[in-house]
Short mmCIF file of all heavy atoms in Angstrom, two decimals:
data_model
loop_
_atom_site.label_atom_id
_atom_site.label_comp_id
_atom_site.label_asym_id
_atom_site.label_seq_id
_atom_site.Cartn_x
_atom_site.Cartn_y
_atom_site.Cartn_z
N ASN A 1439 109.32 63.44 200.39
CA ASN A 1439 108.38 62.84 199.46
C ASN A 1439 108.22 61.29 199.70
O ASN A 1439 107.34 60.68 199.08
CB ASN A 1439 108.65 63.19 197.98
CG ASN A 1439 108.38 64.63 197.73
OD1 ASN A 1439 107.66 65.28 198.39
ND2 ASN A 1439 109.05 65.19 196.75
N ARG A 1464 102.18 67.62 183.97
CA ARG A 1464 103.33 67.34 184.94
C ARG A 1464 103.69 68.64 185.68
O ARG A 1464 103.77 68.67 186.90
CB ARG A 1464 104.56 66.85 184.19
CG ARG A 1464 104.54 65.39 183.91
CD ARG A 1464 105.30 65.16 182.60
NE ARG A 1464 104.38 65.43 181.49
CZ ARG A 1464 103.67 64.50 180.90
NH1 ARG A 1464 103.87 63.21 181.20
NH2 ARG A 1464 102.83 64.81 179.95
N THR A 1495 94.88 92.42 179.14
CA THR A 1495 96.35 92.11 178.81
C THR A 1495 97.02 91.33 179.86
O THR A 1495 96.59 91.30 181.02
CB THR A 1495 97.09 93.46 178.62
OG1 THR A 1495 97.10 94.13 179.82
CG2 THR A 1495 96.48 94.33 177.57
N ASN A 1507 98.59 90.20 196.68
CA ASN A 1507 99.81 89.90 197.49
C ASN A 1507 100.21 88.45 197.69
O ASN A 1507 100.45 87.98 198.74
CB ASN A 1507 99.63 90.52 198.89
CG ASN A 1507 99.74 91.96 198.95
OD1 ASN A 1507 100.67 92.47 198.38
ND2 ASN A 1507 98.79 92.64 199.53
N SER A 1531 107.97 87.03 193.69
CA SER A 1531 108.84 86.19 192.83
C SER A 1531 108.09 85.64 191.66
O SER A 1531 106.92 85.22 191.75
CB SER A 1531 109.37 84.97 193.61
OG SER A 1531 110.33 85.39 194.61
N GLN A 1545 112.24 72.29 184.23
CA GLN A 1545 112.43 71.01 183.55
C GLN A 1545 113.84 70.63 183.53
O GLN A 1545 114.33 69.45 183.77
CB GLN A 1545 111.81 71.08 182.14
CG GLN A 1545 111.98 69.74 181.40
CD GLN A 1545 111.10 68.62 181.97
OE1 GLN A 1545 109.94 68.86 182.32
NE2 GLN A 1545 111.65 67.43 182.06
N LYS A 1564 130.72 63.31 180.75
CA LYS A 1564 129.46 62.60 180.36
C LYS A 1564 128.98 63.30 179.11
O LYS A 1564 129.07 64.50 178.91
CB LYS A 1564 128.42 62.77 181.51
CG LYS A 1564 128.83 61.93 182.77
CD LYS A 1564 128.64 60.42 182.52
CE LYS A 1564 128.71 59.67 183.74
NZ LYS A 1564 130.03 59.34 184.25
N ARG A 1579 116.69 74.14 174.98
CA ARG A 1579 117.51 75.37 175.20
C ARG A 1579 118.03 75.39 176.74
O ARG A 1579 119.21 75.59 176.95
CB ARG A 1579 116.74 76.66 174.92
CG ARG A 1579 116.66 76.96 173.48
CD ARG A 1579 115.73 78.09 173.11
NE ARG A 1579 115.83 78.40 171.69
CZ ARG A 1579 115.24 77.59 170.78
NH1 ARG A 1579 114.56 76.55 171.11
NH2 ARG A 1579 115.39 77.91 169.54
N LEU A 1587 126.84 73.89 181.94
CA LEU A 1587 127.31 74.51 183.18
C LEU A 1587 127.83 73.44 184.18
O LEU A 1587 128.83 73.63 184.94
CB LEU A 1587 126.13 75.30 183.85
CG LEU A 1587 126.48 76.07 185.06
CD1 LEU A 1587 127.32 77.27 184.80
CD2 LEU A 1587 125.07 76.64 185.70
N LEU A 1600 114.46 71.04 161.71
CA LEU A 1600 114.04 71.24 163.18
C LEU A 1600 115.24 71.62 164.00
O LEU A 1600 115.30 71.37 165.25
CB LEU A 1600 113.46 69.93 163.69
CG LEU A 1600 112.10 69.50 163.05
CD1 LEU A 1600 111.59 68.30 163.74
CD2 LEU A 1600 111.10 70.63 163.17
N ALA A 1617 122.25 57.13 164.47
CA ALA A 1617 123.15 56.03 164.86
C ALA A 1617 124.49 56.56 165.37
O ALA A 1617 125.02 56.17 166.38
CB ALA A 1617 123.32 55.10 163.67
N GLY A 1698 110.61 65.93 189.65
CA GLY A 1698 109.97 67.25 189.38
C GLY A 1698 109.30 67.83 190.55
O GLY A 1698 109.35 69.07 190.81
N LEU A 1708 113.43 78.09 198.06
CA LEU A 1708 114.49 79.05 197.93
C LEU A 1708 113.94 80.45 197.61
O LEU A 1708 114.37 81.45 198.15
CB LEU A 1708 115.48 78.60 196.87
CG LEU A 1708 116.28 77.32 197.25
CD1 LEU A 1708 117.13 76.79 196.03
CD2 LEU A 1708 117.26 77.68 198.38
#
Side-chain angles (χ1 to χ4, degrees):
N1439 290 337
R1464 279 148 278 263
T1495 62
N1507 284 315
S1531 289
Q1545 179 69 42
K1564 294 285 195 278
R1579 281 174 177 74
L1587 184 69
L1600 296 184
L1708 291 170

